Amino acid sequence: MRKTTTLALAATALIALGCGAGSTDETSSSGGDSAVKGEEKAAKTAKIGQPARDGKFEFTVKSSKCGVAKVGDNVLGEKAQGQFCLVTINVKNIGKEAQMFDGSSQKAYAADGTEYSSDTGAAIYANKNAETFLNDINPGNQVTGVVVFDIPKNVKLTKLELHDSPFSGGVTVALS
């Protein structure tokens, strides 16, 4: 009886995998869909100073400053492993309910496509108002704060990918 149950479970798993693989192949091989997705991606790219939307948030990158060795003051602060890039961002809630801005969901990229995550620990020291990104942003409200990336000294960031949540599609902002 155990062999029958095991065989039935194995067959069900294989059928489920086969069904999932078929639907994935069909969607990704459709030329029309990829062209539309490419256009949407291009339409989502903004520059410094331009508003860009993802989900419930409208982001406006105000400035980007790299080459910073330390954030904080002489008593409390954090030193960069390489260099800190401080990105000042205005985040406005354009949705109909409160949403929390999560600095750890933001990504930065170098010209070669290398992805860098934000340094939320350093961001605490870089923001004078420590609560800037730790509280929910109510609909219609906005906050401005600094997202910090610790990157190698010889790297230059070329773009950001900003998200309203860890699972959103994100919006691209060119830094150069």
Side-chain angles (χ1 to χ4, degrees):
M1 185 156 200
R2 283 188 180 183
K3 288 182 182 180
T4 307
T5 305
T6 304
L7 286 174
L9 288 173
T12 304
L14 287 174
I15 290 170
L17 286 173
C19 290
S23 65
T24 303
D25 290 341
E26 185 178 323
T27 339
S28 62
S29 65
S30 170
D33 286 344
S34 63
V36 170
K37 287 178 185 173
E39 288 172 16
E40 288 175 8
K41 192 68 169 174
K44 286 186 172 184
T45 301
K47 295 179 182 177
I48 292 178
Q50 295 179 330
R53 293 181 172 196
D54 180 56
K56 297 178 185 174
F57 285 150
E58 179 179 85
F59 302 98
T60 305
V61 176
K62 301 289 189 180
S63 64
S64 175
K65 178 184 177 187
C66 293
V68 178
K70 181 182 177 185
V71 291
D73 56 31
N74 291 335
V75 178
L76 295 173
E78 191 168 323
K79 290 183 180 179
Q81 294 171 353
Q83 65 172 323
F84 285 130
C85 286
L86 310 177
V87 181
T88 303
I89 302 175
N90 179 270
V91 183
K92 181 178 182 180
N93 184 337
I94 56 172
K96 296 195 182 283
E97 59 188 37
Q99 176 88 2
M100 184 177 289
F101 178 79
D102 181 9
S104 65
S105 296
Q106 314 318 313
K107 301 172 185 171
Y109 293 89
D112 66 357
T114 303
E115 177 184 308
Y116 297 96
S117 61
S118 66
D119 186 334
T120 54
I124 291 171
Y125 300 111
N127 287 286
K128 291 179 180 150
N129 178 4
E131 297 180 2
T132 303
F133 291 140
L134 300 177
N135 291 327
D136 283 337
I137 303 169
N138 279 315
N141 287 344
Q142 56 190 339
V143 297
T144 300
V146 178
V147 178
V148 180
F149 297 93
D150 191 346
I151 65 172
K153 289 183 180 180
N154 61 342
V155 170
K156 181 181 178 192
L157 296 179
T158 57
K159 67 180 180 178
L160 300 173
E161 189 177 280
L162 304 174
H163 297 265
D164 87 331
S165 72
F167 307 109
S168 72
V171 64
T172 302
V173 178
L175 294 176
S176 52

